[in-house]
C-alpha cells in the first residue's frame, strides 16, 4: 500500500520552461545560440544545490560578457520562467491531503527561489514535508537525496509513490523500489495521467481526481 505521495514541482505542479520565456525576449535562433554557448541549466544546478541565487547568476554573467544582460534576466525574470501553475495537479495535491494521504515534495530548487515560488504559489506551503535540494545540499538524481528522504519520513520502497517529469530522477527512485510515475511534459496530459494513476492506486476515486 502507498503510504505517502511525493510530487516533484517543476513541470508537475508549475511549468518550468526557461527557453520559452527567453523566446519572448529575443529571436528564437538567438536564444538557441545562447543556450548552446552557455549551460544555463548547469548554472541553475548550482543554485539548486544551495548556491546563492543572485551571486551565482552574476558570476555566470561576468564569465560570458556577450550574454551578460540576458543571463541576468535569469534572476530578474525567474518567476516568469517558473509559470504558470498546473491547476489539475494542484487539485490532486489538495484532494490527497483532504483524504488524509501524506503528500511530500521532492524538488530540485534553490533556497531563495523556493521562497519566491511559495510566495507566488501558496499551495507550495501545503506539503506535509518538503524536501528541497537547496536546503539539503544535493540534487536529484543523486541517490543521497532519496536516502535522506527515506531517513526523514521513515518510509521506503513501494510505500512511496513519486511523480517527476525527468527520466533520470524516476530511474533513481525506481532503483530504490519506490513506485514511480513519469509526468508528461504536456501539462494537461500529464495531470490527467497522474490523476488516473492515483485512482488506480486506490488513493482517490474518479470524482476526487477530476
Amino acid at each position: 500500500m502507498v503510504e505517502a505521495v511525493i510530487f516533484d514541482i517543476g513541470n508537475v505542479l508549475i511549468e518550468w520552461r526557461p527557453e520559452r520565456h527567453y523566446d519572448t525576449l529575443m529571436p528564437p535562433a538567438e536564444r538557441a545560440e545562447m543556450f548552446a554557448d552557455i549551460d544555463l541549466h548547469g548554472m541553475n544546478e548550482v543554485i539548486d544545490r544551495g548556491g546563492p541565487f543572485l551571486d551565482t547568476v552574476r558570476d555566470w554573467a561576468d564569465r560570458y560578457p556577450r550574454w551578460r544582460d540576458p543571463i541576468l534576466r535569469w534572476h530578474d525574470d525567474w518567476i516568469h520562467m517558473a509559470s504558470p501553475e498546473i491547476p489539475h495537479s494542484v487539485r490532486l495535491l489538495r484532494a490527497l491531503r483532504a483524504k488524509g494521504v501524506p503528500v511530500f515534495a521532492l524538488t530540485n530548487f534553490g533556497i531563495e527561489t523556493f521562497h519566491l515560488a511559495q510566495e507566488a504559489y501558496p499551495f507550495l506551503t501545503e506539503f506535509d514535508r518538503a524536501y528541497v535540494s537547496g536546503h539539503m545540499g544535493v540534487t536529484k538524481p543523486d541517490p543521497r537525496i532519496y536516502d535522506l528522504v527515506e531517513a526523514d519520513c521513515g518510509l521506503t520502497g513501494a510505500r512511496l509513490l513519486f511523480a517527476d517529469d525527468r527520466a533520470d530522477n524516476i530511474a533513481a527512485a525506481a532503483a530504490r523500489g519506490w513506485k514511480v510515475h513519469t509526468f508528461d511534459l504536456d501539462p494537461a496530459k500529464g495531470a490527467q495521467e497522474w490523476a488516473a494513476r492515483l485512482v488506480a492506486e486506490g488513493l482517490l476515486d474518479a470524482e476526487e481526481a477530476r
Side-chain angles (χ1 to χ4, degrees):
M1 288 287 295
V2 172
E3 296 183 34
V5 176
I6 305 180
F7 283 71
D8 180 27
I9 293 177
N11 291 323
V12 174
L13 284 161
I14 59 176
E15 295 185 45
W16 170 245
R17 304 290 177 86
E19 290 88 345
R20 181 174 64 189
H21 177 66
Y22 275 95
D23 282 344
T24 70
L25 303 178
M26 60 179 70
E30 185 180 0
R31 186 273 302 163
E33 182 182 3
M34 181 178 72
F35 274 76
D37 285 350
I38 311 164
D39 183 10
L40 289 171
H41 290 284
M43 176 188 73
N44 202 66
E45 175 84 3
V46 174
I47 297 163
D48 285 349
R49 287 197 303 268
F53 185 24
L54 180 56
D55 288 350
T56 299
V57 173
R58 283 177 172 169
D59 175 55
W60 283 62
D62 289 343
R63 290 191 221 174
Y64 301 96
R66 177 187 173 193
W67 303 107
R68 178 178 176 78
D69 289 344
I71 292 173
L72 291 173
R73 297 290 288 267
W74 194 280
H75 176 273
D76 298 343
D77 294 359
W78 184 86
I79 201 62
H80 299 291
M81 295 189 289
S83 67
E85 69 181 71
I86 302 173
H88 191 179
S89 287
V90 177
R91 294 197 302 274
L92 294 171
L93 183 160
R94 289 174 168 163
L96 287 165
R97 296 198 73 236
K99 290 287 291 285
V101 178
V103 178
F104 307 157
L106 175 56
T107 183
N108 286 353
F109 239 107
I111 295 169
E112 294 150 286
T113 52
F114 189 63
H115 179 69
L116 288 172
Q118 286 182 307
E119 288 185 332
Y121 304 110
F123 60 84
L124 295 180
T125 68
E126 297 176 16
F127 298 106
D128 295 285
R129 299 172 189 245
Y131 300 104
V132 179
S133 64
H135 290 285
M136 301 167 82
V138 60
T139 56
K140 298 174 291 181
D142 190 314
R144 290 177 296 159
I145 200 168
Y146 303 89
D147 186 55
L148 289 168
V149 170
E150 292 175 357
D152 181 75
C153 73
L155 300 173
T156 60
R159 292 185 291 173
L160 297 169
L161 172 60
F162 174 50
D164 197 293
D165 65 301
R166 281 178 41 176
D168 52 352
N169 296 340
I170 286 289
R176 304 187 71 91
W178 294 14
K179 290 188 174 183
V180 294
H181 178 84
T182 302
F183 198 96
D184 194 272
L185 280 176
D186 177 291
K189 179 181 179 184
Q192 190 62 46
E193 291 177 347
W194 180 222
R197 177 63 184 273
L198 294 171
V199 171
E201 293 287 348
L203 297 166
L204 297 174
D205 64 32
E207 183 63 28
E208 292 163 338
R210 291 184 61 186

